Amino acid sequence: MSSKYTNIIVAKPEPSVSLITLNRPKALNALSSPLFEELNKALKDADTDDSIGAIVLTGSEKAFAAGADIKEMQDKTYAEVFKNRFLEDWGQLAKIRKPIIAAVSGYALGGGCELALMCDIILASPTAKFGQPEINLGVIPGGGGSQRLASLIGKSRTMELVLTGRNISAQEAADWGMISRVVGEGEGQVIKEAIEMAKTIASKSQIAVQAGKEVVNAAYELTLAEGLRFERRIFHGCFATNDQKEGMAAFSEKRKAEFTNS
Ligand code: HXC
């Protein structure tokens, strides 16, 4: 299953969970264009596979990803990056309907931090380090970091990260509301917990899960009035599903719901 890729490994640790591991260990998972091409393909496959309910994205113990591939970028010109729409493909991840959980250990820097921020939930090892060090390279974040961080952790903290290039610890990221939580110590623990969470999500009605993801994401784009209206309409829409009938009947009958994703 994973053999068609060289920069990532795709596995199914649970029948309902897709685990995608970034796999360029010698370059600390630097995000090259070929890697992103493979990642987008694997995400699309998982998104269209009915047996998959949630996706976990991870890297190695040392690095989730140390950023966009600097060696690939360094000689590019403005005309080249403009004409080739450099980085535009990165946005594909945010269009995936199924929830994506980032399981972060080690460095999540620059584009690596931005990649984690594009996911729906971030779990981190105590070893994780987040940062936007692009300023040290004479550039700025280009994968959404300035925008997503500003809405998550506010202006002052975002300015500090983007303008000084300082890395923050997993605990600081949790205290700032950038990630869900820091998991316990131990190699592989963050992946284990992310898979467990993905399994839980995958056991729910997939229509409701994807509707839930859509409405939460709308909160970052719409005004409050528009967002409330959108949420209510999608909530109304849930009443057209068999899963709503099943979920509420199961509650009344004091049994476990058997969702059919219909
Ligand atoms: C290409 C990278 C890389 C990167 C590390 N490597 N990060 N290659 N692009 N982003 C390579 C190194 O060149 C080296 O290869 C190998 O990985 C191991 O890295 P070392 O530096 O030797 O490891 P270490 O001393 O442990 O330091 C780890 C590190 C450091 C602190 C994470 O590697 C580092 O500062 N990396 C760059 C971080 C960064 O600036 N990221 C932002 C990139 S810009 P060799 O061949 O020498 O062994 C960016 C823009 C995003 O992300 C905008 C669009 C999305």
Side-chain angles (χ1 to χ4, degrees):
M1 190 176 174
S2 61
S3 59
K4 60 180 168 174
Y5 300 118
T6 53
N7 297 283
I8 61 172
I9 298 168
V10 182
K12 228 178 173 187
E14 293 287 335
S16 59
V17 176
S18 176
L19 172 66
I20 303 176
T21 306
L22 305 177
N23 187 36
R24 292 189 72 207
K26 286 187 186 144
L28 302 184
N29 292 330
L31 303 164
S32 61
S33 299
L35 182 149
F36 240 90
E37 226 169 84
E38 293 185 1
L39 178 59
N40 282 336
K41 167 119 193 31
L43 286 168
K44 209 165 163 205
D45 284 351
D47 213 26
T48 50
D49 179 344
D50 279 344
S51 69
I52 299 293
I55 301 161
V56 175
L57 178 61
T58 195
S60 67
E61 282 294 315
K62 179 155 188 203
F64 177 72
D69 192 320
I70 299 169
K71 291 165 193 170
E72 179 187 323
M73 285 186 293
Q74 66 182 10
D75 294 326
K76 288 191 189 298
T77 63
Y78 174 79
E80 220 179 318
V81 292
F82 177 79
K83 283 195 288 192
N84 297 333
R85 299 168 182 262
F86 184 53
L87 299 182
E88 220 170 85
D89 282 356
W90 283 46
Q92 292 296 322
L93 189 143
K95 295 193 183 126
I96 298 296
R97 276 192 179 184
K98 291 177 184 167
I100 307 174
I101 303 168
V104 178
S105 292
Y107 296 112
L109 303 181
C113 185
E114 293 171 306
L115 180 62
L117 291 170
M118 279 182 224
C119 295
D120 301 302
I121 297 169
I122 305 176
L123 296 183
S125 294
T127 61
K129 288 177 199 67
F130 297 88
Q132 299 290 160
E134 290 90 343
I135 201 75
N136 300 325
L137 301 168
V139 293
I140 61 168
S146 64
Q147 307 304 295
R148 289 198 173 92
L149 279 175
S151 63
L152 286 176
I153 63 174
K155 177 175 168 177
S156 182
R157 287 165 169 169
T158 302
M159 286 288 187
E160 183 185 340
L161 292 186
V162 171
L163 304 186
T164 70
R166 175 171 88 83
N167 294 345
I168 57 169
S169 67
Q171 193 52 56
E172 211 167 0
D175 294 344
W176 284 5
M178 204 176 132
I179 66 173
S180 280
R181 62 187 155 84
V182 186
V183 306
E185 281 179 27
E187 195 170 328
Q189 185 62 22
V190 72
I191 300 177
K192 223 191 274 171
E193 293 199 26
I195 291 170
E196 218 30 62
M197 186 186 275
K199 195 174 148 193
T200 300
I201 292 170
S203 73
K204 316 291 182 193
S205 159
Q206 291 313 294
I207 298 178
V209 163
Q210 291 174 29
K213 169 168 169 165
E214 194 174 355
V215 297
V216 173
N217 277 332
Y220 292 93
E221 290 176 2
L222 304 180
T223 63
L224 179 61
E226 288 166 338
L228 292 173
R229 184 178 148 82
F230 180 62
E231 182 199 68
R232 205 162 48 243
R233 286 288 176 257
I234 300 287
F235 174 74
H236 291 161
C238 291
F239 287 77
T241 66
N242 292 323
D243 285 345
Q244 174 268 329
K245 301 288 176 282
E246 167 61 12
M248 294 192 182
F251 176 82
S252 302
E253 293 160 17
K254 300 188 187 299
R255 60 174 175 82
K256 193 171 179 296
E258 295 285 344
F259 294 118
T260 51
N261 304 325
S262 62

